[in-house]
mmCIF file of all heavy atoms in Angstrom:
data_model
loop_
_atom_site.group_PDB
_atom_site.id
_atom_site.type_symbol
_atom_site.label_atom_id
_atom_site.label_comp_id
_atom_site.label_asym_id
_atom_site.label_seq_id
_atom_site.Cartn_x
_atom_site.Cartn_y
_atom_site.Cartn_z
ATOM 1 N N PRO A 299 -11.506 23.925 -99.818
ATOM 2 C CA PRO A 299 -12.220 22.874 -100.535
ATOM 3 C C PRO A 299 -13.548 23.390 -101.086
ATOM 4 O O PRO A 299 -14.132 24.330 -100.552
ATOM 5 C CB PRO A 299 -12.457 21.812 -99.453
ATOM 6 C CG PRO A 299 -12.506 22.588 -98.180
ATOM 7 C CD PRO A 299 -11.561 23.749 -98.363
ATOM 8 N N LEU A 300 -13.999 22.764 -102.160
ATOM 9 C CA LEU A 300 -15.277 23.096 -102.783
ATOM 10 C C LEU A 300 -16.213 21.897 -102.671
ATOM 11 O O LEU A 300 -15.800 20.756 -102.916
ATOM 12 C CB LEU A 300 -15.074 23.464 -104.255
ATOM 13 C CG LEU A 300 -14.072 24.594 -104.547
ATOM 14 C CD1 LEU A 300 -13.924 24.780 -106.052
ATOM 15 C CD2 LEU A 300 -14.488 25.890 -103.869
ATOM 16 N N TYR A 301 -17.477 22.160 -102.331
ATOM 17 C CA TYR A 301 -18.435 21.082 -102.092
ATOM 18 C C TYR A 301 -19.716 21.285 -102.897
ATOM 19 O O TYR A 301 -20.074 22.419 -103.251
ATOM 20 C CB TYR A 301 -18.845 21.043 -100.611
ATOM 21 C CG TYR A 301 -17.749 20.741 -99.635
ATOM 22 C CD1 TYR A 301 -17.051 21.764 -99.001
ATOM 23 C CD2 TYR A 301 -17.411 19.424 -99.321
ATOM 24 C CE1 TYR A 301 -16.049 21.493 -98.077
ATOM 25 C CE2 TYR A 301 -16.414 19.145 -98.396
ATOM 26 C CZ TYR A 301 -15.741 20.181 -97.775
ATOM 27 O OH TYR A 301 -14.754 19.914 -96.863
ATOM 28 N N ILE A 302 -20.409 20.166 -103.124
ATOM 29 C CA ILE A 302 -21.817 20.231 -103.497
ATOM 30 C C ILE A 302 -22.591 19.352 -102.528
ATOM 31 O O ILE A 302 -22.089 18.321 -102.065
ATOM 32 C CB ILE A 302 -22.075 19.807 -104.959
ATOM 33 C CG1 ILE A 302 -21.474 18.434 -105.268
ATOM 34 C CG2 ILE A 302 -21.562 20.845 -105.929
ATOM 35 C CD1 ILE A 302 -21.778 17.947 -106.673
ATOM 36 N N TYR A 303 -23.804 19.798 -102.177
ATOM 37 C CA TYR A 303 -24.679 19.067 -101.264
ATOM 38 C C TYR A 303 -25.955 18.680 -101.998
ATOM 39 O O TYR A 303 -26.559 19.510 -102.688
ATOM 40 C CB TYR A 303 -24.994 19.925 -100.032
ATOM 41 C CG TYR A 303 -23.778 20.126 -99.160
ATOM 42 C CD1 TYR A 303 -22.965 21.241 -99.311
ATOM 43 C CD2 TYR A 303 -23.423 19.171 -98.220
ATOM 44 C CE1 TYR A 303 -21.822 21.409 -98.531
ATOM 45 C CE2 TYR A 303 -22.287 19.327 -97.439
ATOM 46 C CZ TYR A 303 -21.496 20.438 -97.594
ATOM 47 O OH TYR A 303 -20.362 20.587 -96.829
ATOM 48 N N ILE A 304 -26.338 17.407 -101.867
ATOM 49 C CA ILE A 304 -27.495 16.874 -102.585
ATOM 50 C C ILE A 304 -28.569 16.463 -101.593
ATOM 51 O O ILE A 304 -28.289 15.809 -100.581
ATOM 52 C CB ILE A 304 -27.108 15.657 -103.454
ATOM 53 C CG1 ILE A 304 -26.033 16.046 -104.481
ATOM 54 C CG2 ILE A 304 -28.320 15.083 -104.171
ATOM 55 C CD1 ILE A 304 -24.647 15.718 -104.051
ATOM 56 N N LYS A 305 -29.784 16.861 -101.879
ATOM 57 C CA LYS A 305 -30.935 16.479 -101.061
ATOM 58 C C LYS A 305 -31.401 15.107 -101.545
ATOM 59 O O LYS A 305 -32.016 14.975 -102.605
ATOM 60 C CB LYS A 305 -32.024 17.529 -101.228
ATOM 61 C CG LYS A 305 -33.082 17.549 -100.163
ATOM 62 C CD LYS A 305 -34.007 18.756 -100.370
ATOM 63 C CE LYS A 305 -33.308 20.068 -100.077
ATOM 64 N NZ LYS A 305 -34.170 21.244 -100.316
ATOM 65 N N LYS A 306 -31.120 14.054 -100.777
ATOM 66 C CA LYS A 306 -31.422 12.693 -101.230
ATOM 67 C C LYS A 306 -32.916 12.461 -101.458
ATOM 68 O O LYS A 306 -33.296 11.664 -102.300
ATOM 69 C CB LYS A 306 -30.882 11.671 -100.234
ATOM 70 C CG LYS A 306 -29.380 11.452 -100.311
ATOM 71 C CD LYS A 306 -28.989 10.241 -99.491
ATOM 72 C CE LYS A 306 -27.509 9.960 -99.584
ATOM 73 N NZ LYS A 306 -27.136 8.761 -98.804
ATOM 74 N N ALA A 307 -33.759 13.171 -100.708
ATOM 75 C CA ALA A 307 -35.204 13.007 -100.869
ATOM 76 C C ALA A 307 -35.673 13.420 -102.263
ATOM 77 O O ALA A 307 -36.748 13.011 -102.699
ATOM 78 C CB ALA A 307 -35.946 13.816 -99.804
ATOM 79 N N HIS A 308 -34.873 14.225 -102.965
ATOM 80 C CA HIS A 308 -35.264 14.695 -104.299
ATOM 81 C C HIS A 308 -34.808 13.753 -105.403
ATOM 82 O O HIS A 308 -35.212 13.930 -106.557
ATOM 83 C CB HIS A 308 -34.711 16.099 -104.540
ATOM 84 C CG HIS A 308 -35.494 17.170 -103.846
ATOM 85 N ND1 HIS A 308 -35.437 18.499 -104.211
ATOM 86 C CD2 HIS A 308 -36.374 17.104 -102.812
ATOM 87 C CE1 HIS A 308 -36.241 19.199 -103.413
ATOM 88 N NE2 HIS A 308 -36.799 18.378 -102.559
ATOM 89 N N ILE A 309 -33.947 12.793 -105.067
ATOM 90 C CA ILE A 309 -33.517 11.817 -106.076
ATOM 91 C C ILE A 309 -34.700 10.911 -106.399
ATOM 92 O O ILE A 309 -35.303 10.315 -105.515
ATOM 93 C CB ILE A 309 -32.319 10.998 -105.571
ATOM 94 C CG1 ILE A 309 -31.106 11.909 -105.374
ATOM 95 C CG2 ILE A 309 -31.977 9.872 -106.550
ATOM 96 C CD1 ILE A 309 -29.905 11.243 -104.749
ATOM 97 N N GLY A 310 -35.054 10.829 -107.668
ATOM 98 C CA GLY A 310 -36.242 10.091 -108.078
ATOM 99 C C GLY A 310 -37.461 10.992 -108.190
ATOM 100 O O GLY A 310 -38.398 10.689 -108.914
ATOM 101 N N MET A 311 -37.442 12.103 -107.460
ATOM 102 C CA MET A 311 -38.528 13.088 -107.541
ATOM 103 C C MET A 311 -38.276 14.054 -108.696
ATOM 104 O O MET A 311 -39.175 14.380 -109.468
ATOM 105 C CB MET A 311 -38.632 13.857 -106.216
ATOM 106 C CG MET A 311 -39.744 14.892 -106.173
ATOM 107 S SD MET A 311 -39.647 15.953 -104.691
ATOM 108 C CE MET A 311 -39.825 14.775 -103.358
ATOM 109 N N ILE A 312 -37.018 14.520 -108.789
ATOM 110 C CA ILE A 312 -36.596 15.423 -109.865
ATOM 111 C C ILE A 312 -35.739 14.627 -110.837
ATOM 112 O O ILE A 312 -34.738 14.018 -110.424
ATOM 113 C CB ILE A 312 -35.790 16.617 -109.307
ATOM 114 C CG1 ILE A 312 -36.592 17.361 -108.238
ATOM 115 C CG2 ILE A 312 -35.367 17.554 -110.431
ATOM 116 C CD1 ILE A 312 -37.874 17.984 -108.720
ATOM 117 N N PRO A 313 -36.087 14.598 -112.117
ATOM 118 C CA PRO A 313 -35.332 13.764 -113.064
ATOM 119 C C PRO A 313 -33.910 14.257 -113.297
ATOM 120 O O PRO A 313 -33.669 15.450 -113.430
ATOM 121 C CB PRO A 313 -36.163 13.857 -114.351
ATOM 122 C CG PRO A 313 -36.960 15.120 -114.220
ATOM 123 C CD PRO A 313 -37.230 15.279 -112.762
ATOM 124 N N GLY A 314 -32.957 13.315 -113.283
ATOM 125 C CA GLY A 314 -31.598 13.606 -113.723
ATOM 126 C C GLY A 314 -30.584 13.934 -112.657
ATOM 127 O O GLY A 314 -29.410 14.162 -112.976
ATOM 128 N N ILE A 315 -30.978 13.957 -111.371
ATOM 129 C CA ILE A 315 -30.033 14.382 -110.329
ATOM 130 C C ILE A 315 -28.815 13.459 -110.290
ATOM 131 O O ILE A 315 -27.664 13.925 -110.267
ATOM 132 C CB ILE A 315 -30.713 14.444 -108.947
ATOM 133 C CG1 ILE A 315 -31.736 15.576 -108.914
ATOM 134 C CG2 ILE A 315 -29.680 14.649 -107.845
ATOM 135 C CD1 ILE A 315 -32.495 15.696 -107.605
ATOM 136 N N GLU A 316 -29.043 12.154 -110.286
ATOM 137 C CA GLU A 316 -27.921 11.205 -110.218
ATOM 138 C C GLU A 316 -26.989 11.374 -111.408
ATOM 139 O O GLU A 316 -25.757 11.367 -111.260
ATOM 140 C CB GLU A 316 -28.453 9.773 -110.160
ATOM 141 C CG GLU A 316 -29.182 9.431 -108.876
ATOM 142 C CD GLU A 316 -29.946 8.132 -108.994
ATOM 143 O OE1 GLU A 316 -31.090 8.161 -109.488
ATOM 144 O OE2 GLU A 316 -29.401 7.093 -108.585
ATOM 145 N N ALA A 317 -27.572 11.545 -112.595
ATOM 146 C CA ALA A 317 -26.765 11.694 -113.808
ATOM 147 C C ALA A 317 -25.968 13.001 -113.782
ATOM 148 O O ALA A 317 -24.816 13.053 -114.223
ATOM 149 C CB ALA A 317 -27.662 11.639 -115.043
ATOM 150 N N PHE A 318 -26.569 14.061 -113.239
ATOM 151 C CA PHE A 318 -25.885 15.348 -113.150
ATOM 152 C C PHE A 318 -24.681 15.260 -112.218
ATOM 153 O O PHE A 318 -23.590 15.738 -112.540
ATOM 154 C CB PHE A 318 -26.867 16.414 -112.655
ATOM 155 C CG PHE A 318 -26.246 17.770 -112.429
ATOM 156 C CD1 PHE A 318 -25.705 18.496 -113.478
ATOM 157 C CD2 PHE A 318 -26.213 18.336 -111.156
ATOM 158 C CE1 PHE A 318 -25.137 19.748 -113.275
ATOM 159 C CE2 PHE A 318 -25.652 19.587 -110.932
ATOM 160 C CZ PHE A 318 -25.114 20.291 -111.997
ATOM 161 N N ILE A 319 -24.875 14.631 -111.052
ATOM 162 C CA ILE A 319 -23.774 14.486 -110.099
ATOM 163 C C ILE A 319 -22.669 13.610 -110.688
ATOM 164 O O ILE A 319 -21.475 13.896 -110.532
ATOM 165 C CB ILE A 319 -24.286 13.894 -108.765
ATOM 166 C CG1 ILE A 319 -25.353 14.813 -108.146
ATOM 167 C CG2 ILE A 319 -23.132 13.681 -107.794
ATOM 168 C CD1 ILE A 319 -24.940 16.244 -107.958
ATOM 169 N N SER A 320 -23.061 12.556 -111.393
ATOM 170 C CA SER A 320 -22.068 11.675 -112.019
ATOM 171 C C SER A 320 -21.244 12.433 -113.048
ATOM 172 O O SER A 320 -20.032 12.219 -113.168
ATOM 173 C CB SER A 320 -22.770 10.480 -112.676
ATOM 174 O OG SER A 320 -23.362 9.655 -111.696
ATOM 175 N N GLU A 321 -21.886 13.336 -113.792
ATOM 176 C CA GLU A 321 -21.153 14.150 -114.763
ATOM 177 C C GLU A 321 -20.190 15.091 -114.040
ATOM 178 O O GLU A 321 -19.039 15.261 -114.452
ATOM 179 C CB GLU A 321 -22.127 14.958 -115.614
ATOM 180 C CG GLU A 321 -21.487 15.976 -116.552
ATOM 181 C CD GLU A 321 -20.615 15.347 -117.634
ATOM 182 O OE1 GLU A 321 -20.844 14.174 -117.994
ATOM 183 O OE2 GLU A 321 -19.689 16.029 -118.124
ATOM 184 N N PHE A 322 -20.637 15.673 -112.925
ATOM 185 C CA PHE A 322 -19.826 16.638 -112.176
ATOM 186 C C PHE A 322 -18.520 16.007 -111.696
ATOM 187 O O PHE A 322 -17.462 16.643 -111.723
ATOM 188 C CB PHE A 322 -20.617 17.156 -110.978
ATOM 189 C CG PHE A 322 -20.357 18.591 -110.640
ATOM 190 C CD1 PHE A 322 -21.412 19.475 -110.476
ATOM 191 C CD2 PHE A 322 -19.069 19.082 -110.480
ATOM 192 C CE1 PHE A 322 -21.183 20.811 -110.156
ATOM 193 C CE2 PHE A 322 -18.834 20.401 -110.161
ATOM 194 C CZ PHE A 322 -19.902 21.280 -110.009
ATOM 195 N N ILE A 323 -18.571 14.759 -111.239
ATOM 196 C CA ILE A 323 -17.379 14.137 -110.654
ATOM 197 C C ILE A 323 -16.662 13.214 -111.634
ATOM 198 O O ILE A 323 -15.692 12.560 -111.270
ATOM 199 C CB ILE A 323 -17.742 13.343 -109.385
ATOM 200 C CG1 ILE A 323 -18.671 12.174 -109.723
ATOM 201 C CG2 ILE A 323 -18.353 14.255 -108.329
ATOM 202 C CD1 ILE A 323 -18.786 11.153 -108.624
ATOM 203 N N SER A 324 -17.121 13.174 -112.884
ATOM 204 C CA SER A 324 -16.504 12.285 -113.874
ATOM 205 C C SER A 324 -15.073 12.724 -114.182
ATOM 206 O O SER A 324 -14.702 13.883 -113.966
ATOM 207 C CB SER A 324 -17.327 12.283 -115.161
ATOM 208 O OG SER A 324 -17.269 13.562 -115.789
ATOM 209 N N GLU A 325 -14.276 11.808 -114.693
ATOM 210 C CA GLU A 325 -12.896 12.134 -115.057
ATOM 211 C C GLU A 325 -12.854 13.210 -116.134
ATOM 212 O O GLU A 325 -11.977 14.065 -116.139
ATOM 213 C CB GLU A 325 -12.173 10.872 -115.528
ATOM 214 C CG GLU A 325 -11.734 9.957 -114.404
ATOM 215 C CD GLU A 325 -10.712 10.610 -113.478
ATOM 216 O OE1 GLU A 325 -9.646 11.035 -113.960
ATOM 217 O OE2 GLU A 325 -10.993 10.719 -112.267
ATOM 218 N N ARG A 326 -13.806 13.169 -117.075
ATOM 219 C CA ARG A 326 -13.790 14.172 -118.152
ATOM 220 C C ARG A 326 -14.075 15.581 -117.616
ATOM 221 O O ARG A 326 -13.696 16.572 -118.234
ATOM 222 C CB ARG A 326 -14.786 13.809 -119.245
ATOM 223 C CG ARG A 326 -16.235 13.804 -118.827
ATOM 224 C CD ARG A 326 -17.163 13.397 -119.964
ATOM 225 N NE ARG A 326 -18.511 13.125 -119.457
ATOM 226 C CZ ARG A 326 -18.906 11.944 -119.011
ATOM 227 N NH1 ARG A 326 -18.071 10.925 -119.015
ATOM 228 N NH2 ARG A 326 -20.142 11.768 -118.572
ATOM 229 N N ALA A 327 -14.740 15.658 -116.444
ATOM 230 C CA ALA A 327 -15.031 16.965 -115.844
ATOM 231 C C ALA A 327 -14.034 17.309 -114.752
ATOM 232 O O ALA A 327 -13.345 18.330 -114.815
ATOM 233 C CB ALA A 327 -16.452 16.979 -115.280
ATOM 234 N N ALA A 328 -13.935 16.453 -113.730
ATOM 235 C CA ALA A 328 -13.172 16.782 -112.519
ATOM 236 C C ALA A 328 -11.798 16.134 -112.460
ATOM 237 O O ALA A 328 -11.083 16.290 -111.466
ATOM 238 C CB ALA A 328 -13.977 16.382 -111.279
ATOM 239 N N GLY A 329 -11.412 15.396 -113.500
ATOM 240 C CA GLY A 329 -10.107 14.745 -113.514
ATOM 241 C C GLY A 329 -8.973 15.732 -113.729
ATOM 242 O O GLY A 329 -9.189 16.929 -113.965
ATOM 243 N N GLU A 330 -7.752 15.235 -113.678
ATOM 244 C CA GLU A 330 -6.570 16.097 -113.799
ATOM 245 C C GLU A 330 -6.538 16.858 -115.113
ATOM 246 O O GLU A 330 -6.025 17.977 -115.175
ATOM 247 C CB GLU A 330 -5.302 15.251 -113.638
ATOM 248 C CG GLU A 330 -5.120 14.729 -112.211
ATOM 249 C CD GLU A 330 -3.897 13.849 -112.073
ATOM 250 O OE1 GLU A 330 -3.107 13.777 -113.044
ATOM 251 O OE2 GLU A 330 -3.727 13.245 -111.007
ATOM 252 N N ASN A 331 -7.070 16.255 -116.174
ATOM 253 C CA ASN A 331 -7.108 16.922 -117.477
ATOM 254 C C ASN A 331 -8.537 17.240 -117.891
ATOM 255 O O ASN A 331 -8.821 17.430 -119.072
ATOM 256 C CB ASN A 331 -6.438 16.045 -118.537
ATOM 257 C CG ASN A 331 -4.977 15.799 -118.233
ATOM 258 O OD1 ASN A 331 -4.220 16.753 -118.023
ATOM 259 N ND2 ASN A 331 -4.571 14.550 -118.168
#
Side-chain angles (χ1 to χ4, degrees):
L300 305 177
Y301 297 95
I302 53 177
Y303 291 93
I304 301 97
K305 199 173 290 178
K306 283 191 178 181
H308 283 199
I309 295 174
M311 181 189 299
I312 304 298
I315 292 178
E316 292 167 275
F318 176 64
I319 300 306
S320 293
E321 173 64 25
F322 215 129
I323 64 165
S324 67
E325 282 297 302
R326 64 181 168 272
E330 291 178 8
N331 298 307

